[in-house]
Amino acid sequence: MNSDQRGGPGAVPMHLIVLAGLASVTYASFVLENLLSPKLDFFNGYVSELSASDQPFHFVYSAGDLITGVLSILVAAGTLRRLTRKPLATAGWVFLGLFGVCAIGDASFPLDCAPSLETWCALRERSENVSFSHEFHSVTSSAVIVCGVAALLLLSLAARRYGWWPALARWGWLLALAESVAALGTLVAMYVGQWLGIVQRVQIGILCLGLLTIAWALYSDRREAAREARGVSDAREGACL
C-alpha cells in the first residue's frame, strides 16, 4: 500500500492503467458481429449467442470475454496491492475482480447454439434438452452484471467519500444506475419478446464505459500525484539554492 502527499489512494503503475483500458476494448467484441456474424438478429438476438459453440467465429467473442476477465482480475489485484485500502474502495476492487471471474465464466460456459437463429435450438432449450454449459451461462451472465454494477457503485461511493478519483466520483454512480436500468429493461424485453438484443448491447456498452472510466480515474490520479511530486522536488531544489 502507498499514498501520496495529498492523502490520496496512491498511484498504480502505468501498465495496470493500460490493462484496464484494454479490458474496455476486449469486452466490446460484439461490435464485430456485423462483419463476422451478420446472420444473428441484432435487435432480438442474445449477445451470448455470438459465442455459442456451434456459431462461426465463436472463439473470437469467447476470447474477448476471457481476456477481459483476466485483465480485470489483474487490475483488481494490482490496485488492492498498491493503493490505500479503505472499506468502500477495497469492496469496489474486489467486485471488479469478481466481475473478471464471471466474465471468464461466460467464456468457459458458452451456449450450445443460438435460439433466436435456429428453431431446433429454441425447442431444445424449452424442453431443457441442453448441456450444463448452456444452462449455467445464464448464471455467469447475470453475475457479470451484478458484479459490474457493484464495482462501479462502490468505487464511485469511495471516490466521493474519500475525495479520490474525480472521474469515478462524477460518472461511476451514473453508469451503475444506467446499467441497473438496462438490466430491468432486459427483463421487460424478455417478457415482451422484442428488443432484447438492443438492450443487451447497451448493457455491455455501459460496462465498457465503466472499465474505461476506471482506467481514466487511475491515470488522472497517477498524473496528479506525479505533478505534485515534481512540485515538491522543485521546491526542495529551490530551497537548497
Side-chain angles (χ1 to χ4, degrees):
M1 295 186 295
N2 59 70
S3 59
D4 55 28
Q5 280 92 356
R6 298 168 296 145
V12 298
M14 193 64 196
H15 73 269
L16 286 179
I17 298 170
V18 172
L19 293 183
L22 284 176
S24 71
V25 175
T26 56
Y27 201 51
S29 60
F30 71 93
V31 300
L32 300 173
E33 64 183 305
N34 288 332
L35 176 65
L36 302 179
S37 310
K39 291 183 179 180
L40 188 70
D41 188 346
F42 177 84
F43 295 97
N44 299 306
Y46 291 96
V47 175
S48 297
E49 293 180 82
L50 293 168
S51 58
S53 298
D54 71 338
Q55 294 301 300
F57 301 105
H58 65 89
F59 58 89
V60 174
Y61 307 108
S62 292
D65 288 343
L66 178 63
I67 294 171
T68 299
V70 172
L71 295 180
S72 298
I73 291 171
L74 290 174
V75 171
T79 51
L80 284 171
R81 179 184 177 188
R82 293 179 176 272
L83 299 185
T84 301
R85 295 178 188 172
K86 290 193 175 183
L88 286 173
T90 297
W93 296 124
V94 168
F95 270 103
L96 180 65
L98 291 175
F99 164 83
V101 171
C102 295
I104 293 174
D106 266 354
S108 303
F109 298 97
L111 298 177
D112 297 337
C113 48
S116 71
L117 187 62
E118 300 156 329
T119 303
W120 63 266
C121 180
L123 293 174
R124 281 181 56 184
E125 192 175 59
R126 291 174 186 173
S127 63
E128 298 184 354
N129 188 24
V130 291
S131 69
F132 172 80
S133 176
H134 190 105
E135 292 183 340
F136 193 65
H137 188 84
S138 61
V139 176
T140 59
S141 294
S142 299
V144 162
I145 302 301
V146 172
C147 292
V149 169
L152 286 171
L153 182 59
L154 288 167
L155 289 174
S156 175
L157 291 175
R160 286 171 169 267
R161 174 169 293 186
Y162 309 137
W164 300 346
W165 310 315
L168 278 168
R170 182 174 184 179
W171 300 108
W173 70 273
L174 285 173
L175 290 170
L177 178 61
E179 184 68 13
S180 300
V181 171
L184 292 176
T186 298
L187 298 177
V188 173
M190 290 176 67
Y191 178 79
V192 174
Q194 290 183 324
W195 309 109
L196 180 60
I198 291 291
V199 177
Q200 277 203 322
R201 285 158 177 78
V202 169
Q203 272 189 298
I204 296 174
I206 293 170
L207 289 176
C208 291
L209 287 176
L211 291 167
L212 194 60
T213 301
I214 289 172
W216 178 252
L218 292 174
Y219 172 73
S220 297
D221 219 49
R222 175 183 172 84
R223 182 179 59 185
E224 184 65 23
R227 183 182 296 118
E228 293 197 4
R230 285 196 300 270
V232 171
S233 177
D234 291 343
R236 288 176 178 174
E237 289 180 3
C240 291
L241 295 175

